[in-house]
Amino acid sequence: MRKIKSLLGVFGSRKIAALLFLGFSSGLPLFLIGSTLKAWMTEEKVDLAAIGWFSLASLPYSLKFLWSPLVDRFTLPVLGRRRGWLILTQIALIIAIAVMAFQQPKQALQLLAINAIVIAFISATQDIAVDAYRTDVLEKLEMGAGAAVFILGYRIALLVAGALALILADKLPWSSVYLFMAGTMVIGILATLFAPEPKEISPPSSLADAVILPFREFFQRQGIIKAILMLAFITLYKLGDALLSNMTTPFLLQTGFTKTDIGAIQVGMGLIATIVGALAGGSILSAIGINRSLWVFGILQAVSNLAYFFLAYIGQNYQAMVLAINVEQFCGGLGTAAFVAFLMSLCNQRFSATQYALLSSLMAVSRDILAAPGGAIAQNTGWPIFFLITIAAAVPGLLLLPVFAPWNPQPVAVSRPGLEDEEEDIWGIK
C-alpha cells in the first residue's frame, strides 16, 4: 500500500512540477533558431540556399559535451551548483532572443547568423544544466515521471515556438513575436527559483578532473568491454524510430496527403500522442522499473512501424494515416520516457552534466547521422520494404537488452552511482 501511494504521489511533487516548466524553458529556443526563424527568413525573401545553411546554427546542441565539464566543475555564487547555471542561461536567453527581434534578415544576414549561434550555445548550456539537475534531483521512483513531465514541457514549448509563433506572425511584426517569445522565458526563471536544490555532491576538484574523471569513472564502473557495448546500445536503441521519423513527411506527401493533412495530424494530433505516450511511459516505468520498460517499450516502438508498412500498401487512406501517426508517435513517446530514465540512471552525480551530455550526444548520432541514408534506402527499395527495414534496424539494440537490462535483474550492485545509500532497486521489481 505504501508503494502504491508513492507511485500515485510521484507526479504531484514540487520537483516534478518544476521539471514541467524547466522542460518548457529547454524546448523554447529550438524552433526560434530553426523552423520559425526559417519561416521569417522565407517571408523576407532570403535566398533558399542561405536558409538551408542556417541549419548549422544548431550545431552547439550536438557539441555541448565539449564544455559540459565546466558546469560540473564550477558552482556559481547564487542558487547552488545546478540552479545557478540554470538562472544564468535563462537570463542570457531572454536577452539573446530579444536581440533577435531587432535583426534584419534581408539586410544583415551575418548578424542574424551570429545571433542564432549565440542562442544555440546558451540554450545548449541550459540543456547541460537542466539535464544534470534532473539527473541529480530525482529519486529512483521518480525517474520515469520526471522524464515524462520534462518531455511534456518540452513539447508544449515546441508548440508555442512553432505553431503559436506562426499564428502570431500573421497578425504582428516578427519583431513583436520574438519579443513575446523572449518574455515567455520568464517561465523558466520562475521554475528555477521554485525548484528544490539537489543534495549537495562534491564537484570535481579541478577542471582537469572534470574532463578526465567522468570518462574514467564510467569505464571503470562498467568495465571497458561492457562500457563500449553500452555506448553502442545507446546509439542503436532508437535507430529504427529515427529512420522512420526522418522520412515520414516525404512518404506522406508522396502518398498523396496534403500539407494541411500532415500539419494537422502529424504535427498536431501526433504531438499529443507523443505527450500521452511519454506520460503513460513514466507512470508504467515507476511501477515496473527501467529494465522491463526498456524491453516492453522498445518492442512496441519497433512493432509500431508496421502501421506505416500497412499504410504504404493501402495508399491514400485518411483513417489509416491517422492510425499510423498516432500509434507510432504514442509508442515513440513510451520509448523516449524509458530511455531518458535509463540514461539518467547511468550518471554519477559528481559528473552528471558531463556524462549525460556525452550519452545524449550518442542519441543525436543515431538521429542525425545513422538515419541520414533513410532517403536513399527508401528510393532504392520502395516504401513498404523501407518500413520493414526500419523495424529490422531496431533489432540490434533490442538484442543488447539482456546484457544491460535483464528482465529479472539481481538487486545487488544496482544502486545508482553517487547514491549508494539508497536501498530500492531501480532496475526492476524487487
Side-chain angles (χ1 to χ4, degrees):
M1 180 63 68
R2 185 173 63 86
K3 187 164 185 181
I4 293 173
K5 252 186 210 180
S6 298
L7 287 171
L8 293 175
V10 160
F11 280 95
S13 72
R14 178 180 165 193
K15 63 182 78 171
I16 297 295
L19 285 173
L20 173 66
F21 297 106
L22 289 175
F24 179 91
S25 177
S26 182
L28 190 77
L30 184 63
F31 277 6
L32 297 181
I33 60 168
S35 58
T36 300
L37 178 60
K38 290 175 182 178
W40 182 12
M41 295 169 69
T42 302
E43 197 171 83
E44 293 287 326
K45 296 183 170 45
V46 175
D47 180 70
L48 283 177
I51 293 174
W53 282 108
F54 258 71
S55 296
L56 293 176
S58 300
L59 197 57
Y61 289 108
S62 297
L63 300 177
K64 62 186 179 183
F65 64 89
L66 294 175
W67 63 92
S68 58
L70 295 172
V71 178
D72 271 334
R73 170 64 185 92
F74 297 107
T75 300
L76 300 182
V78 293
L79 295 181
R81 186 180 180 215
R82 299 307 185 196
R83 293 191 303 148
W85 281 99
L86 283 173
I87 203 81
L88 175 66
T89 53
Q90 288 159 351
I91 292 171
L93 279 169
I94 289 177
I95 296 170
I97 295 170
V99 169
M100 180 76 85
F102 300 100
Q103 298 292 344
Q104 301 291 329
K106 187 68 174 175
Q107 287 77 26
L109 196 59
Q110 289 183 339
L111 285 177
L112 183 69
I114 292 170
N115 200 162
I117 292 169
V118 168
I119 291 174
F121 175 78
I122 301 170
S123 178
T125 307
Q126 179 191 220
D127 286 354
I128 295 169
V130 77
D131 289 338
Y133 173 81
R134 188 180 66 231
T135 300
D136 291 356
V137 80
L138 292 175
E139 305 293 339
K140 295 175 180 179
L141 185 65
E142 300 168 322
M143 282 190 172
V149 168
F150 184 85
I151 293 167
L152 171 60
Y154 194 95
R155 295 287 181 169
I156 292 172
L158 296 186
L159 278 176
V160 171
L164 180 59
L166 292 176
I167 291 169
L168 290 175
D170 262 344
K171 301 172 176 58
L172 299 170
W174 279 104
S175 57
S176 299
V177 173
Y178 270 78
L179 284 174
F180 174 78
M181 292 296 155
T184 61
M185 280 298 301
V186 172
I187 292 172
I189 292 177
L190 295 176
T192 298
L193 295 174
F194 172 76
E197 182 67 17
K199 294 177 184 176
E200 188 65 32
I201 300 289
S202 302
S205 57
S206 68
L207 185 56
D209 283 350
V211 174
I212 297 169
L213 290 183
F215 295 93
R216 182 189 298 170
E217 189 276 339
F218 182 81
F219 279 89
Q220 284 180 344
R221 174 161 38 99
Q222 303 293 344
I224 293 178
I225 294 176
K226 186 177 179 182
I228 292 172
L229 288 174
M230 183 173 286
L231 297 179
F233 167 73
I234 292 169
T235 305
L236 296 173
Y237 182 71
K238 288 186 73 68
L239 177 57
D241 190 54
L243 263 178
L244 182 133
S245 298
N246 195 35
M247 297 306 300
T248 51
T249 299
F251 162 69
L252 293 172
L253 286 170
Q254 286 191 6
T255 305
F257 297 104
T258 67
K259 292 188 284 292
T260 301
D261 292 335
I262 296 170
I265 305 304
Q266 188 179 34
V267 178
M269 194 181 294
L271 184 59
I272 294 171
T274 301
I275 291 171
V276 173
L279 291 173
S283 300
I284 296 169
L285 187 148
S286 295
I288 70 174
I290 291 178
N291 278 23
R292 295 179 182 180
S293 295
L294 287 171
W295 281 83
V296 175
F297 300 161
I299 292 169
L300 288 175
Q301 187 175 255
V303 173
S304 68
N305 291 5
L306 281 173
Y308 276 93
F309 170 76
F310 291 122
L311 180 59
Y313 266 111
I314 294 170
Q316 189 179 357
N317 182 292
Y318 189 80
Q319 289 77 18
M321 179 192 74
V322 171
L323 182 64
I325 289 173
N326 280 280
V327 167
E328 191 274 328
Q329 297 275 34
F330 175 79
C331 293
L334 291 173
T336 298
F339 198 48
V340 169
F342 174 70
L343 294 186
M344 287 192 290
S345 73
L346 296 179
C347 296
N348 185 308
Q349 290 192 335
R350 288 191 69 200
F351 320 111
S352 53
T354 302
Q355 289 183 343
Y356 194 93
L358 286 165
L359 296 176
S360 60
S361 293
L362 292 175
M363 289 195 296
V365 169
S366 176
R367 182 191 67 227
D368 300 334
I369 298 175
L370 297 184
I377 295 172
Q379 188 172 8
N380 289 322
T381 63
W383 289 114
I385 300 300
F386 170 75
F387 292 125
L388 291 179
I389 290 173
T390 67
I391 298 172
V395 172
L398 294 175
L399 290 177
L400 289 170
L401 277 173
V403 179
F404 308 113
W407 182 261
N408 289 310
Q410 296 296 322
V412 298
V414 293
S415 60
R416 203 173 146 209
L419 292 175
E420 289 80 4
D421 57 326
E422 295 185 8
E423 297 177 355
E424 286 190 59
D425 174 23
I426 183 175
W427 302 96
I429 301 299
K430 291 191 84 170

